[in-house]
Amino acid sequence: MSRVSTGPKNEPTAAHALLTRLHEHGVDKVFGVVGREAASILFDEVEGIEFVLTRHEFTAGVAADVLARISGRPQACWATLGPGMTNLSTGIATSILDRSPVIALAAQSESHDIFPNDTHQCLDLVAIAKPMTKYAVELERPSEITDLVDSAVSAAMTEPVGPSFISLPVDLLGSSEGITLGNNPPARTPAKPTGTVDADWKSAADEAVELLRGAKHPVLAVGAAAIRSGAVDAIRALAERLNIPVITTYIAKGILPHEHELNYGAVTGYMDGILGFPALETLFAPVDVVLTVGYDYAEDLRPSMWARGQEKKTVRISPTPNPIPRVYRPTVDVVTDVLAFVEYVDAATADLAAKDRHDIAPLRARIAEFLADPTEYEDGMRVHQVMDSMNEVMAEAAGPGRGTIVSDIGFFRHYGVLFARADQPFGFLTSAGCSSFGYGIPAAIGAQMARPGEPTFLIAGDGGFHSNSADLETIARLNLPIVTVVVNNDTNGLIELYQNLGHRRSHDPAVKFGSVDFVALAEANGVDATRATSREELLAALRKGAELGRPFLIEVPVNYDFTTGGFGALSI
């Protein structure tokens, strides 16, 4: 039997049925890289679906992840068989750890030639995918493809949301056996993720209300499940009425606008060390009740971070049962839809007077001091100066409630968590759960596609950026107006920090790179670029990029002044 289709078919195939059902579930883009399964699928079989070709499958997975996260709808990515799938697997891991409803698809060897680890390019794709997906299956009969897509979407859109995977043998993908179009039942895509609801959740919510009534200094510690539930406006209304501060995880920044007086910021275990200031103590020591709203341990807000000062009562509100009682056993556990809980508490506390929120003025002053740093450093700008410049131009270019700042992975990312402007939910994007090098470019692609009328700024370190820089060409080909800032010290800075934390010294062969001319690299890929070595040059370059209407890259030489003190919160 041939590995290649013998010619075009006049009747619809499983490929038609696959793309039709994805489109009926609202998917209009498939990110990916195609292999020899191109003989069975062209991706023009269904009107309304665009194939977005990327240079690497990891880019495809992360772009789908971010588009799904922002849109709240399932999105799709594609890989060819064997190594295509293994390349895609880190994108799938990003989706499971960062909680996005991605439908991952990969071609597989012909159904009669699936002998994993023995056939050319044949691996057990379902076995690879299963540990990091909500649902993983291989197509066995072409007529069942619609049902498999429905099951994949249902699983992906169930809390905790995450990826589903379908393996597609290339002969079955091109088969017309049992395929009929136009008589399928309507596609049922949940308006928001389906969660678990305890039958007795209102009794637990009543306990939470009593804790809130008795609290002197409560806080809301908010995670991304609150955004997925549609609870942002309700949380803001409750916080404002009761004068309760809001603290967020990395990726829930923007629950309240950047300058809102109740926005006490996002928390990172690196903040004390970066600021040289007891930030966690200031945020949490006076607090007596912590309500973790949409809490997810994968978002890297650890219970040890809020365990400062006086003993606290805690309330966990989540659409999933508690998976981590060994590290977080709340005083009250409310398993229900986050929006339903917030609305219930709002009604139950209608008579409650506003709280006297605790003061964090010293922390805010320290942050303002950092951001206003006027020093001209001879060995390169500091990342806090870069972030301040990006915030200033983003505010000018986007206006209130708009714009997205994306961060790749590295030490600089924690400056973004602390300082980056986020005026809307997912207005700051990073990978809190998976945190893979190279996240920045595909995340920026997904963000710009999700918000085509708004500016997207990307900050990336030289190490992570160059690990996936081939997809600069994808940004250029698609003419996405992403402004990229590469902070370059020719070093894996975060790893150098860990070397010093563990050994009080660094070992250059494990962290130091040779120099790369990122301006020349960008231009070679069709992206305009420049280098900026001062605040004035960076501000001018950012403004040019924001107005250009096409991709633009700015290389900024930087250095870190880290010490080994202040990082105790990284302990688990």
Side-chain angles (χ1 to χ4, degrees):
M1 296 184 181
S2 174
R3 284 184 172 172
V4 181
S5 174
T6 56
K9 288 184 168 63
N10 295 322
E11 61 272 15
T13 65
H16 291 81
L18 168 70
L19 297 177
T20 295
R21 199 54 165 180
L22 286 171
H23 193 248
E24 288 170 352
H25 279 291
V27 174
D28 59 10
K29 292 180 176 62
V30 179
F31 300 88
V33 181
V34 187
R36 67 179 176 83
E37 69 278 6
S40 298
I41 185 169
L42 277 173
F43 291 96
D44 68 352
E45 287 85 349
V46 174
E47 187 174 348
I49 284 195
E50 171 191 6
F51 189 84
V52 181
L53 177 64
T54 61
R55 288 280 180 166
H56 197 280
E57 294 86 350
F58 171 63
T59 298
V62 172
D65 166 88
V66 169
L67 183 56
R69 187 189 308 184
I70 295 175
S71 68
R73 314 301 295 158
Q75 303 295 337
C77 56
W78 182 277
T80 192
L81 58 168
M85 174 59 179
T86 56
N87 282 347
L88 183 65
S89 64
T90 307
I92 295 172
T94 300
S95 176
I96 193 68
L97 281 165
D98 289 338
R99 315 301 193 215
S100 292
V102 169
I103 309 302
L105 307 161
Q108 176 59 293
S109 298
E110 287 74 8
S111 57
H112 54 81
D113 198 31
I114 299 176
F115 301 107
N117 303 336
D118 287 306
T119 299
H120 172 71
Q121 289 194 319
C122 183
L123 300 169
D124 188 338
L125 302 189
V126 171
I128 292 170
K130 202 162 191 175
M132 53 184 174
T133 56
K134 305 290 296 296
Y135 173 83
V137 68
E138 190 159 84
L139 179 66
E140 296 179 354
R141 288 170 286 276
S143 60
E144 295 178 349
I145 187 62
T146 296
D147 296 333
L148 299 189
V149 172
D150 287 351
S151 294
V153 168
S154 177
M157 288 292 288
T158 299
E159 291 283 6
V161 299
S164 290
F165 173 71
I166 304 176
S167 170
L168 299 156
V170 294
D171 59 323
L172 303 186
L173 186 63
S175 172
S176 297
E177 183 181 347
I179 299 296
T180 56
L181 301 179
N183 61 349
N184 291 321
R188 304 292 185 188
T189 314
K192 69 179 187 179
T194 303
T196 301
V197 178
D198 270 359
D200 200 30
W201 76 267
K202 290 184 179 179
S203 294
D206 288 338
E207 294 181 51
V209 168
E210 289 308 306
L211 288 178
L212 189 56
R213 284 184 177 278
K216 183 178 181 182
H217 294 309
V219 297
L220 305 179
V222 183
I227 302 173
R228 296 194 295 269
S229 77
V232 172
D233 290 343
I235 289 171
R236 180 171 180 172
L238 180 67
E240 289 177 341
R241 183 172 64 79
L242 294 180
N243 198 37
I244 300 176
V246 173
I247 294 169
T248 73
T249 62
Y250 301 177
I251 60 174
K253 277 170 68 79
I255 286 281
L256 295 183
H258 188 62
E259 299 294 337
H260 197 290
E261 63 178 0
L262 292 173
N263 180 8
Y264 277 27
V267 172
T268 164
Y270 297 80
M271 61 197 309
D272 288 10
I274 289 172
L275 294 170
F277 184 87
L280 290 169
E281 189 80 12
T282 304
L283 285 172
F284 290 114
V287 172
D288 52 356
V289 174
V290 180
L291 289 89
T292 60
V293 185
Y295 181 73
D296 189 336
Y297 188 61
E299 291 174 38
D300 211 23
L301 171 56
R302 299 173 184 170
S304 59
M305 294 179 187
W306 67 66
R308 299 291 196 279
Q310 66 177 299
E311 186 177 347
K312 300 168 187 8
K313 302 292 186 182
T314 56
V315 180
R316 176 185 175 272
I317 305 102
S318 175
T320 63
N322 184 8
I324 51 160
R326 285 187 298 165
V327 293
Y328 179 31
R329 190 176 292 277
T331 310
V332 179
D333 197 359
V334 189
V335 180
T336 191
D337 176 69
V338 175
L339 176 58
F341 172 84
V342 176
E343 290 177 337
Y344 185 87
V345 169
D346 189 50
T349 59
D351 62 331
L352 188 60
K355 299 292 180 176
D356 180 18
R357 69 176 184 270
H358 65 293
D359 182 29
I360 62 164
L363 174 57
R364 284 176 163 159
R366 180 59 172 160
I367 289 173
E369 177 187 0
F370 248 68
L371 293 177
D373 181 4
T375 308
E376 294 187 11
Y377 298 93
E378 293 184 0
D379 59 348
M381 289 183 68
R382 297 305 185 254
V383 176
H384 52 269
Q385 296 175 318
V386 175
M387 286 307 317
D388 187 54
S389 300
M390 293 177 70
N391 284 345
E392 182 175 340
V393 178
M394 178 60 80
E396 296 169 359
R402 292 166 63 84
T404 311
I405 294 178
V406 178
S407 175
D408 206 323
I409 308 308
F411 192 25
F412 63 89
R413 188 261 292 271
H414 298 280
Y415 289 75
V417 173
L418 283 175
F419 304 134
R421 174 189 183 274
D423 260 6
Q424 61 180 325
F426 302 136
F428 173 76
L429 288 170
T430 190
S431 176
C434 190
S435 293
S436 174
F437 256 16
Y439 171 87
I441 286 178
I445 290 171
Q448 186 62 53
M449 287 185 168
R451 296 168 174 159
E454 302 182 22
T456 299
F457 289 0
L458 164 63
I459 183 170
D462 55 284
F465 181 79
H466 205 27
S467 74
N468 199 25
S469 59
D471 272 293
L472 270 173
E473 186 277 330
T474 302
I475 293 176
R477 174 169 25 96
L478 300 175
N479 197 32
L480 298 174
I482 295 165
V483 179
T484 299
V485 178
V486 179
V487 289
N488 186 7
N489 65 345
D490 297 329
T491 305
N492 275 344
L494 184 60
I495 310 310
E496 187 177 29
L497 169 64
Y498 275 103
Q499 287 180 335
N500 279 273
L501 290 176
H503 306 281
R504 300 296 185 265
R505 62 185 179 87
S506 60
H507 179 55
D508 286 356
V511 294
K512 295 291 184 182
F513 295 111
S515 294
V516 174
D517 186 338
F518 287 102
V519 172
L521 177 71
E523 291 172 343
N525 282 276
V527 175
D528 292 347
T530 191
R531 186 174 286 103
T533 60
S534 68
R535 270 186 183 268
E536 292 72 22
E537 291 178 357
L538 178 56
L539 285 167
L542 286 165
R543 290 184 176 113
K544 176 182 176 179
E547 296 169 1
L548 201 57
R550 60 180 185 269
F552 191 65
L553 181 143
I554 308 162
E555 181 181 353
V556 183
V558 300
N559 220 318
Y560 293 103
D561 293 323
F562 65 74
T563 66
T564 56
F567 295 98
L570 299 177
S571 299
I572 298 174

